[in-house]
Amino acid sequence: MDPEITRIYEALVSYRGYDKFSTPGYQLSVDYFVPSKKLIIEYDERQHFSIPRKIALESYSEVVNLGFNKNKWMQECNQIRATDNDPIYRDEQRAFYDSLRDILAARHGYTMFRIKDKDYDWTISNANALLKDTLSQIPDRLIGSISPKKKPQAKKQFQDPVNIFKVALVIPPLWDLHTKAAFDIHRPPDVPEKYKPIIPSSDDFDHEQLDLVVFPEAYIRRDDEKRLESLRQLANQIRSCLLVGASERHQNRNADWETLLLFRPGLQEELIYRKHSTAGAVAFEKSDWNPKQYLPVYEINGTKIGCTICHDSYLGLLQKYLSQQGAKVWINVSYDNVKHEKWESILRLRSIETGMVSLCTLHDNLGRIDKNGRPHRTRIRPFGFSPDGFELESYSPGNRESRKPFSQCTTPGIYIVDCPLGIKSAIMKPDAIPSAKKGKFSGTRPEPFIEVVIKDGKLYLQSKENLVSIVPGKPLGDTELIMGLVRGPELFDITVFTQLMERLYHRAPDAKLFILNLWDKLPADPGRLVNVMLGRTLEFFVTLVLSDKNMIYEITEIAGGSKTMRRVPVYDNRAIISLKFAPEGLWNNFKITINNLDKNIQKSSFDDFLKKYRQLEGNRDREIHLDND
């Protein structure tokens, strides 16, 4: 036995003390072998799903390439708990044999694919098609295509061994009766039935084996018992957890809580999350707010997930906390009417800086009324990024042939995505980040402007014929300009930005701010770092300049208020910075809620929200560069 197999053997021995189940020299057979595909298929009956099998699976290393969902197999072991006492150590022996098949097959370049008995009815007339579809679930990185008609992929997105967490994102059609004067998206319970959400049936998922199904923000109301019961039944029928956005009336004022409900098969749903930002009511209102209770991480089929809602994505400390609690997948549900550029930037940034897969689903609003009272469809799509910053792909239930990037999924429906859990964050290798698209630049930017240059690692303001040194954290002469300094890899640290922005605000509340990200040596092509810069500019509403000690490479800034952000061309090593937009800081994330409160307590409430939020920073004593250059 090598170290990995020894580890599995010892874990099984420690369960009940039996140690006679290993049979050196015994040659194991398999159920099916397809030489042309280097494919092994095992058909697992009930006796294969035991506690010893779960223990063995838990002991696998991260690099074992499996053609089946290890987390699902562990969950089934925990539910079935099969036993076989002939001989007395038979459960340990069967688990050990199955583990040897999995590990040794992978080591020799074979893919081990497992089918669970009774997951499908193999006696039906189209069993051949069902088998082909089942085999098509094997990731392409492990095996050649089962179908000869499948188009070759232009690029293998995941080159490292990964485990897969399988999620279905639901984008339901919505006909929203908005008017010019009415913007409350949370319709009262007496809305006509035809405008209420339709709960999918189990057939809509076409026998896909899913870890989680995600529905948008405010998909149902918490008191809609009819739909709650339909969702309970759906979870049981497809044997998958459901994550559902639900609106719930505030008990003390005219506002809604936006919440998330988790439905587990066979269990009563539980409220697992309340929104923290930009809403009529937020979790920070709760006097007993603490991250353990209001920002929990949940385990589904052996994978830890964390959740937020819509504009919570702009509060980066929430996601950092979730990742520090072990979350591998971050799900941020939203409603509709989001700017694609903004959501792409913020979700990609969160994946890179936390190492989590990021996912977002929304409604497809077919009947929104614009500000002029005219019908206007808001075309929407799901979003998803891996920790290396690349966009994920999805497919329709039962049709892996339909796989395409999320950016091309522009119609209502159900989109299934294989979330790669073993991809490393691009922080470790910035060259892995996709390069930002150049795009068209209109050249129309708001005044006033300043011109800055860098020389010998220091930034200067170009004033007529003179260069005026800019010192981090200090207002520049009689101007309203102040610069914050972020050194090198601190670009990836949300805590540094949060502390820096707050300190700069308190030092000069009315100043125009910009941030210099100064590197000794850039770790990647500047076009790759732009994808991180765009997200930072968006979340803090601030201009960001990228440079080393000799050259200014990139500028990102807000474009047109809070609508979106843009990449500004740099010419002749000079940064032309617009001072039109001043950062609103975290006030922008809380102002909707604050405005709903009594005016006498608005300021104190904001201070309370901010204090609770910044509990998530962790180390508050680290050095933030203000006065040193």
Side-chain angles (χ1 to χ4, degrees):
M1 296 186 200
D2 60 50
E4 182 170 31
I5 294 174
T6 299
R7 183 174 66 250
I8 295 170
Y9 171 79
E10 290 176 349
L12 290 170
V13 171
S14 66
Y15 175 53
R16 295 191 297 182
Y18 303 137
D19 60 359
K20 305 299 184 184
F21 54 84
S22 173
T23 53
Y26 180 74
Q27 194 169 36
L28 296 173
S29 59
V30 297
D31 291 341
Y32 299 93
F33 176 45
V34 187
S36 64
K37 298 294 181 182
K38 299 197 79 174
L39 172 67
I40 297 171
I41 303 174
E42 285 284 277
Y43 193 89
D44 288 353
E45 300 90 342
R46 186 179 187 278
Q47 64 268 23
H48 289 264
F49 296 92
S50 63
I51 294 302
R53 176 62 166 149
K54 178 186 177 185
I55 292 171
L57 287 165
E58 288 174 335
S59 302
Y60 285 19
S61 72
E62 292 291 332
V63 297
V64 176
N65 269 328
L66 300 175
F68 63 97
N69 189 327
K70 183 180 78 169
N71 293 330
K72 174 181 170 56
W73 250 241
M74 290 166 57
Q75 182 190 37
E76 295 291 342
C77 290
N78 204 42
Q79 291 179 352
I80 296 174
R81 295 174 176 262
T83 58
D84 185 352
N85 295 320
D86 185 18
I88 196 169
Y89 52 77
R90 185 69 176 103
D91 290 335
E92 284 86 347
Q93 186 178 60
R94 182 177 285 113
F96 189 60
Y97 285 174
D98 282 348
S99 299
L100 290 177
R101 290 183 177 95
D102 292 343
I103 292 170
L104 297 180
R107 286 183 186 175
H108 290 283
Y110 294 84
T111 296
M112 174 64 71
F113 184 70
R114 292 186 176 274
I115 297 175
K116 180 178 173 292
D117 183 34
K118 295 188 175 15
D119 266 1
Y120 305 96
D121 180 2
W122 299 107
T123 67
I124 59 179
S125 58
N126 65 336
N128 250 0
L130 180 58
L131 177 60
K132 181 175 291 188
D133 181 66
T134 303
L135 292 174
S136 73
Q137 298 172 24
I138 304 172
D140 283 349
R141 70 179 190 281
L142 298 182
I143 189 172
S145 171
I146 297 299
S147 170
K149 297 181 181 180
K150 184 161 184 171
K151 296 179 181 179
Q153 296 295 309
K155 174 186 175 182
K156 285 186 178 180
Q157 184 170 339
F158 308 125
Q159 297 178 355
D160 297 325
V162 295
N163 288 324
I164 297 299
F165 186 75
K166 197 169 183 179
V167 180
L169 298 179
V170 180
I171 295 191
L174 174 75
W175 190 272
D176 218 344
L177 301 180
H178 285 202
T179 67
K180 186 176 181 180
F183 293 97
D184 181 11
I185 64 176
H186 316 306
R187 298 175 298 283
D190 58 353
V191 68
E193 191 72 18
K194 64 180 178 179
Y195 297 125
K196 288 189 175 182
I198 299 173
I199 307 299
S201 71
S202 58
D203 291 340
D204 292 326
F205 295 91
D206 201 14
H207 305 289
E208 294 280 355
Q209 297 180 23
L210 302 167
D211 294 298
L212 181 64
V213 180
V214 182
F215 294 81
E217 175 188 12
Y219 179 66
I220 62 169
R221 295 200 65 85
R222 185 82 190 279
D223 55 5
D224 189 344
E225 182 56 37
K226 176 182 176 181
R227 284 170 176 77
L228 288 173
E229 179 57 31
S230 295
L231 289 165
R232 294 177 195 126
Q233 293 177 11
L234 178 63
N236 290 334
Q237 290 165 355
I238 66 175
R239 302 182 69 182
S240 173
C241 294
L242 312 181
L243 187 66
V244 181
S247 299
E248 183 177 35
R249 208 63 180 165
H250 195 286
Q251 59 273 33
N252 296 323
R253 66 173 192 273
N254 186 26
D256 271 349
W257 300 101
E258 294 306 338
T259 70
L260 287 173
L261 303 179
L262 180 62
F263 294 75
R264 295 183 186 271
L267 299 176
Q268 186 71 13
E269 70 275 5
E270 55 179 323
L271 191 155
I272 65 169
Y273 184 78
R274 292 182 187 272
K275 194 174 182 180
H276 282 78
S277 169
T278 315
V282 297
F284 287 132
E285 291 182 51
K286 294 289 188 178
S287 59
D288 62 345
W289 185 92
N290 63 82
K292 185 175 181 180
Q293 180 177 356
Y294 288 93
L295 197 59
V297 167
Y298 287 85
E299 186 168 305
I300 296 176
N301 291 350
T303 296
K304 292 183 178 180
I305 67 165
C307 311
T308 55
I309 299 176
C310 194
H311 212 263
D312 288 347
S313 59
Y314 287 67
L315 295 178
L317 295 180
L318 299 180
Q319 292 80 45
K320 180 176 181 179
Y321 176 84
L322 291 170
S323 68
Q324 290 175 334
Q325 303 310 303
K328 299 300 182 184
V329 179
W330 165 52
I331 297 168
N332 184 71
V333 302
S334 194
Y335 193 80
D336 80 334
N337 196 34
V338 304
K339 297 290 184 182
H340 292 176
E341 299 87 350
K342 294 171 69 172
W343 246 233
E344 286 175 0
S345 294
I346 206 72
L347 288 165
R348 177 186 279 117
L349 170 62
R350 295 293 176 244
S351 280
I352 291 172
E353 71 180 352
T354 65
M356 297 187 292
V357 172
S358 63
L359 298 174
C360 178
T361 195
L362 309 94
H363 297 89
D364 187 83
N365 198 336
L366 307 178
R368 175 177 284 272
I369 303 299
D370 67 17
K371 63 182 180 180
N372 298 313
R374 296 189 296 261
H376 172 71
R377 181 186 181 193
T378 303
R379 185 172 291 277
I380 206 63
R381 60 178 176 82
F383 299 87
F385 294 91
S386 62
D388 57 6
F390 277 89
E391 183 181 41
L392 297 175
E393 296 182 336
S394 70
Y395 63 92
S396 301
N399 183 15
R400 294 184 71 90
E401 304 289 331
S402 65
R403 188 167 56 194
K404 56 188 175 182
F406 272 134
S407 54
Q408 298 177 19
C409 302
T410 56
T411 56
I414 297 173
Y415 296 96
I416 296 176
V417 55
D418 292 332
C419 298
L421 304 184
I423 299 295
K424 294 181 180 179
S425 166
I427 293 177
M428 309 301 296
K429 190 179 179 182
D431 270 331
I433 303 173
S435 189
K437 297 178 181 178
K438 288 287 185 183
K440 294 182 179 180
F441 183 76
S442 66
T444 302
R445 300 171 64 204
E447 298 180 356
F449 297 111
I450 62 166
E451 182 178 326
V452 299
V453 297
I454 197 160
K455 185 177 180 180
D456 298 327
K458 295 183 180 181
L459 202 67
Y460 295 89
L461 174 68
Q462 180 74 58
S463 177
K464 296 183 179 179
E465 301 301 324
N466 301 321
L467 293 179
V468 180
S469 180
I470 302 176
V471 178
K474 289 187 177 182
L476 183 59
D478 297 329
T479 71
E480 294 182 337
L481 176 67
I482 189 168
M483 180 190 78
L485 176 63
V486 173
R487 293 192 182 277
E490 291 177 340
L491 175 66
F492 300 104
D493 193 333
I494 178 64
T495 302
V496 168
F497 276 85
T498 303
Q499 294 182 16
L500 177 60
M501 292 297 291
E502 184 187 35
R503 294 188 190 186
L504 290 173
Y505 174 78
H506 286 305
R507 178 162 296 188
D510 298 323
K512 304 291 186 179
L513 305 181
F514 75 97
I515 302 296
L516 174 67
N517 179 217
L518 179 64
W519 292 79
D520 291 331
K521 181 180 179 181
L522 294 188
D525 178 84
R528 300 184 186 277
L529 298 180
V530 167
N531 267 325
V532 179
M533 295 170 62
L534 288 168
R536 290 282 181 241
T537 286
L538 182 61
E539 65 181 330
F540 290 106
F541 214 64
V542 67
T543 298
L544 188 59
V545 178
L546 174 71
S547 78
D548 59 19
K549 293 183 177 181
N550 301 303
M551 181 73 68
I552 294 174
Y553 295 99
E554 296 282 354
I555 305 171
T556 55
E557 69 179 12
I558 291 294
S562 62
K563 290 182 179 179
T564 186
M565 64 286 144
R566 63 182 160 207
R567 178 183 185 183
V568 180
V570 176
Y571 303 105
D572 194 27
N573 194 28
R574 295 176 183 272
I576 308 300
I577 298 175
S578 170
L579 298 180
K580 170 67 174 179
F581 303 111
E584 292 187 83
L586 293 174
W587 175 267
N588 189 55
N589 291 297
F590 301 132
K591 63 184 179 183
I592 291 180
T593 310
I594 296 296
N595 291 338
N596 277 333
L597 302 177
D598 188 290
K599 292 187 181 300
N600 296 325
I601 62 171
Q602 287 185 357
K603 180 61 171 67
S604 61
S605 295
F606 173 72
D607 292 340
D608 180 50
F609 292 177
L610 186 58
K611 180 180 178 181
K612 290 173 179 175
Y613 173 64
R614 294 199 60 195
Q615 289 179 24
L616 304 172
E617 285 181 359
N619 182 8
R620 295 287 301 274
D621 299 325
R622 64 180 300 168
E623 179 185 7
I624 300 298
H625 307 284
L626 289 181
D627 296 328
N628 60 312
D629 60 354

